[in-house]
Amino acid sequence: MTKEELVQLTEVDVLFVCPPFHDCKSEYPPLGIAQMAAVLEQSKIGVQILDLGVYNWDDWKQHVSELLDRVHPRWVGISALTSQIIISCDIAKYVKERYPDTKVVLGGSHPTVCPTTVLSNPYVDYVIRGEGEYIFQDLFQGKELAAIDGLSYKHNGRYIHNKQRQLIDKLDDMPFPARHLFDLKKYTWYPEMSLISSRGCPFGCYFCYKGLFGPKYRVRSPQNIIDEMVTLNKQYGATQFYFYDDLFTIDKQRVLDFCKLLQEQKLDFKWRCCSRIDTLDKERIDAMAAAGCNRLHFGIEAGDPVILKKVKGLHIEKIREIVKMVREAGIAIKCYYMIGHPWDTRETIESTIQLARELGSADAQFSIATPLPSTGLWDEAERLGVINERSNVDWSKLFVRGDTLKRPVMRTKTVSSEDLLKYYKKAVRRVYLDKMLYTLNRPKEFMRIIRERGIVLPVWAFYRKVIQISV
């Protein structure tokens, strides 16, 4: 942090720390932590957030040290994905060694899945499982530990796991995330703002972990969403938004009502969202296009019909139909693909690459199938005997991008880890070069990208996806 940033900070009750990522920097502020901070602020609790995701990995101790010494928090909350749990525990140790009386709390997907393992770390006092906003509030305010649903803690040498807390149903009652606690200009996609309009997903994708938000789909009302967009426009001048929900489009009437309200209130906003092929139809697509939707994100995941049906329950013809419909409405698409499913062969991986090239999305992102605890992929990989790291797992390897990965955790029955990595690099290069040639042959599209993202990001993408990945 700069000296100017530190001067503005005073002592706080709670410091939230988001660990850095191995292979990239944060594109958007972490809204889960920002939501927790907003709930605490409603109760007049002083909060600060340190998002290490906007800094270089090797500099985390410097930033943690500077902020600890400045704000002297009584509580430190640290988030942790599975791939971040090692660095999150390192941060916990660093905090406890400098300030032994500070209470350290870990939350997020990995502590929720493995609370006993995380609590066994001597530098961790508490684990929050699932949605943490009101669990942390209860803990800070001194509620009896045994009465706090969703909390795990230590007592007389034992690990206590209270019953699971009920999911938060009334999302409209929650405050908007505390974005004022971030330097928003440090994020890759600024001034675009991310939002979450719902929680939970009823679909059962075998690679997805649902322990945080569960399968129950819970929504904010269309007007509540628009109120947040208007607030962000007034405070930060935002006119482009990204709905970070697992699945924005499943509730047809909510989508139609949201689009209608945007138009009735004459709000000239552009927005994009995550969707699923079988939750769209022409009525929804046309309404979204008319209300400013300029990009849809689809998880395709496989190009082989048998594997596609197994992992997503989709048919290739339906994918082609919806993608064509979306394009005709003037909405760009970004598709996500996964290689290295336990049943993948060289032929099925080539089918996935070919489908990605055929669909020709405005952007495509590949990942290598990565088994995470408490997912169907983890269980299936164990059953088939294709997980490389079967004991003493180095959790830091469990991230899905392969740009800096030397050896994937996964292999398949017929494709080695080394060959999966080669296929990943081949897929990224092929699809990106297709996209680049398409864009260069369309000057208007090229200029749109430069207007929206500047020149630095496209050049960096070319270097990373064509030059660096070839090394």
Side-chain angles (χ1 to χ4, degrees):
M1 302 183 74
T2 65
K3 291 182 179 179
E4 290 75 14
E5 289 172 324
L6 286 169
V7 165
Q8 297 174 8
L9 300 176
T10 57
E11 293 191 7
V12 299
D13 300 304
V14 178
L15 171 64
F16 287 121
V17 181
C18 304
F21 293 97
H22 289 270
D23 61 337
C24 60
K25 291 189 177 180
S26 297
E27 295 182 330
Y28 301 95
L31 293 185
I33 288 291
Q35 190 82 68
M36 292 181 68
V39 168
L40 295 183
E41 286 188 329
Q42 272 192 333
S43 298
K44 309 302 181 184
I45 298 168
V47 187
Q48 270 297 336
I49 300 175
L50 174 59
D51 182 8
L52 294 169
V54 300
Y55 301 110
N56 293 327
W57 174 277
D58 294 334
D59 297 336
W60 70 264
K61 285 186 179 179
Q62 172 193 338
H63 296 294
V64 172
S65 174
E66 288 175 347
L67 198 51
L68 281 176
D69 293 344
R70 180 70 184 179
V71 303
H72 303 293
R74 292 189 290 133
W75 293 75
V76 171
I78 306 170
S79 63
L81 301 173
T82 291
S83 63
Q84 296 174 311
I85 188 61
I86 294 176
I87 185 67
S88 293
C89 288
D90 287 345
I91 294 169
K93 178 181 178 182
Y94 191 73
V95 170
K96 277 290 193 180
E97 287 179 342
R98 294 176 66 86
Y99 292 93
D101 294 334
T102 298
K103 299 298 183 184
V104 173
V105 186
L106 260 67
S109 58
H110 193 84
T112 297
V113 175
C114 306
T116 298
T117 303
V118 175
L119 272 179
S120 68
N121 186 308
Y123 305 103
V124 176
D125 296 303
Y126 305 99
V127 162
I128 286 176
R129 310 187 320 272
E131 294 177 323
E133 289 88 352
Y134 298 107
I135 302 174
F136 201 108
Q137 185 183 56
D138 287 348
L139 183 60
F140 178 87
Q141 292 178 339
K143 188 174 181 178
E144 183 182 351
L145 295 181
I148 303 176
D149 293 346
L151 182 69
S152 293
Y153 58 98
K154 306 167 188 177
H155 180 69
N156 292 335
R158 295 187 301 124
Y159 303 121
I160 309 297
H161 305 294
N162 294 346
K163 69 177 182 180
Q164 197 64 28
R165 198 178 190 97
Q166 288 189 345
L167 295 171
I168 301 169
D169 280 324
K170 297 181 179 180
L171 300 184
D172 278 5
D173 293 346
M174 301 185 75
F176 298 151
R179 294 179 180 85
H180 61 277
L181 297 178
F182 302 99
D183 181 354
L184 296 174
K185 293 181 180 178
K186 282 183 164 45
Y187 293 93
T188 307
W189 283 92
Y190 179 84
E192 180 180 75
M193 293 287 182
S194 57
L195 300 89
I196 296 177
S197 77
S198 65
R199 292 184 178 184
C201 176
F203 291 96
C205 296
Y206 84 127
F207 49 82
C208 186
Y209 171 66
K210 289 184 168 55
L212 281 180
F213 295 141
K216 182 181 179 182
Y217 188 64
R218 295 156 290 140
V219 301
R220 296 167 57 191
S221 66
Q223 187 57 58
N224 182 258
I225 302 166
I226 291 173
D227 288 345
E228 183 175 5
M229 297 169 78
V230 170
T231 298
L232 293 173
N233 175 257
K234 290 179 179 178
Q235 291 181 345
Y236 306 107
T239 58
Q240 173 74 43
F241 302 92
Y242 179 21
F243 290 101
Y244 226 57
D245 310 30
D246 286 336
L247 190 56
F248 183 84
T249 54
I250 186 172
D251 185 335
K252 180 174 181 175
Q253 192 57 53
R254 189 182 79 124
V255 171
L256 297 178
D257 290 345
F258 171 72
C259 294
K260 182 180 179 182
L261 283 172
L262 275 177
Q263 292 179 283
E264 287 178 349
Q265 296 176 31
K266 295 180 170 54
L267 295 170
D268 188 21
F269 294 153
K270 301 297 181 186
W271 51 281
R272 57 190 176 120
C273 66
C274 298
S275 183
R276 183 180 158 107
I277 291 292
D278 52 3
T279 66
L280 284 176
D281 52 29
K282 191 173 190 321
E283 185 179 8
R284 260 175 283 202
I285 292 169
D286 288 345
M288 292 166 71
C293 179
N294 57 7
R295 180 169 299 209
L296 281 167
H297 297 237
F298 295 117
I300 305 297
E301 314 305 357
D304 176 80
V306 175
I307 293 180
L308 180 63
K309 181 68 175 174
K310 187 174 292 190
V311 303
K312 293 289 288 188
L314 297 175
H315 297 280
I316 288 179
E317 285 308 314
K318 184 65 174 179
I319 292 173
R320 292 184 176 122
E321 174 193 342
I322 294 297
V323 166
K324 182 174 183 288
M325 206 178 293
V326 170
R327 280 218 178 88
E328 289 174 347
I331 301 175
I333 63 171
K334 177 174 182 177
C335 295
Y336 299 83
Y337 303 92
M338 189 180 295
I339 62 175
H341 298 287
W343 317 275
D344 256 333
T345 64
R346 286 171 173 77
E347 291 74 24
T348 62
I349 292 172
E350 287 286 3
S351 296
T352 298
I353 297 173
Q354 184 55 41
L355 180 62
R357 299 185 73 187
E358 175 196 332
L359 295 179
S361 61
D363 200 359
Q365 183 169 317
F366 286 86
S367 61
I368 297 174
T370 302
L372 299 174
S374 293
T375 65
L377 175 54
W378 180 279
D379 296 338
E380 186 66 26
E382 278 199 321
R383 188 181 71 80
L384 294 175
V386 298
I387 296 179
N388 285 328
E389 309 286 344
R390 298 193 66 183
S391 60
N392 299 319
V393 177
D394 179 356
W395 298 112
S396 66
K397 292 181 180 179
L398 297 187
F399 60 96
V400 296
R401 280 178 50 183
D403 303 39
T404 59
L405 194 61
K406 294 182 178 178
R407 184 170 181 261
V409 173
M410 276 287 289
R411 59 180 172 83
T412 77
K413 280 289 189 181
T414 59
V415 185
S416 68
S417 297
E418 292 77 13
D419 284 343
L420 280 181
L421 189 56
K422 290 177 183 177
Y423 275 115
Y424 167 83
K425 292 181 176 182
K426 176 182 178 180
V428 171
R429 280 197 307 271
R430 274 191 182 180
V431 174
Y432 188 78
L433 286 171
D434 286 348
K435 173 191 172 185
M436 187 177 70
L437 290 173
Y438 174 89
T439 303
L440 291 176
N441 286 324
R442 291 162 177 78
K444 288 184 178 179
E445 175 68 9
F446 177 76
M447 292 310 298
R448 181 192 65 79
I449 291 173
I450 298 302
R451 283 195 306 271
E452 289 182 1
R453 305 196 65 185
I455 191 65
V456 175
L457 288 177
V459 170
W460 169 244
F462 174 78
Y463 171 77
R464 185 168 56 83
K465 295 183 178 183
V466 177
I467 299 175
Q468 185 183 49
I469 205 169
S470 301
V471 178

